[in-house]
Amino acid sequence: MILEGIVTTVNADGTANISPMGPLVDERITQFVLRPYTTSRTYQNLKRTRQGVLHVTDDVEMLAHAAVHRLDPPPKLAKAKKVAGFVLAEACRWYEFQVRSLDDHSERTTIACQVVAHGRIRDFFGFNRAKHAVVEASILVTRIEFLPPEQIVDEFRRLAVLIDKTAGPQERRAFQFLEQYVGETLHARQTEGGDAGR
């Protein structure tokens, strides 16, 4: 099954790259497959270092900000135990991994990973419909460059109903942040298109 999580990898300058990822996992999460695009920083880092950390979290606000690389302030990090990497200090569970194989013959890569250490920081609070809506919205914004604007706007309208009905403060902040990002990005795209036509 696909598990929505967050993967940390190490950039060339030693800093942490934090990105949402949906790996294909087994039930025990002893191994999994990542499928990042070749243009992503996660792919570039994994090809270079061949190690990272997968996190399970119910913090959808962090997930939303990580989706557009706007983590300000950055989350607290701890050093990983068995790989050169970073653990999100406020995640629920973490899985340090090493890359077993990497196939980048197509734009979307296939990276098989082996878990070498894991741990638990806190209980998983759980997901309500609003948290699921933020997860879906976060996935949408990562595809904003190739999805039709109308589809994105329609999907956000549908997800907004779930936010209105079931969200707490964290989910409302996260969804509002993503709505603002989408509005700014689509507006900038329209402006650029208009300028190009002049």
Side-chain angles (χ1 to χ4, degrees), residues 149-171:
E150 301 81 13
Q151 181 179 345
I152 293 171
V153 171
D154 287 346
E155 284 294 313
F156 262 80
R157 283 191 188 125
R158 181 181 66 81
L159 294 171
V161 175
L162 301 178
I163 297 295
D164 289 341
K165 287 182 177 180
T166 66
Q170 183 193 82
E171 295 80 36

Side-chain angles (χ1 to χ4, degrees), residues 16 18 62 70-77 88 90:
I18 303 169
M62 179 168 60
R70 291 187 182 177
L71 286 160
D72 185 23
K76 296 177 183 177
L77 300 170
L88 295 169
E90 296 178 0

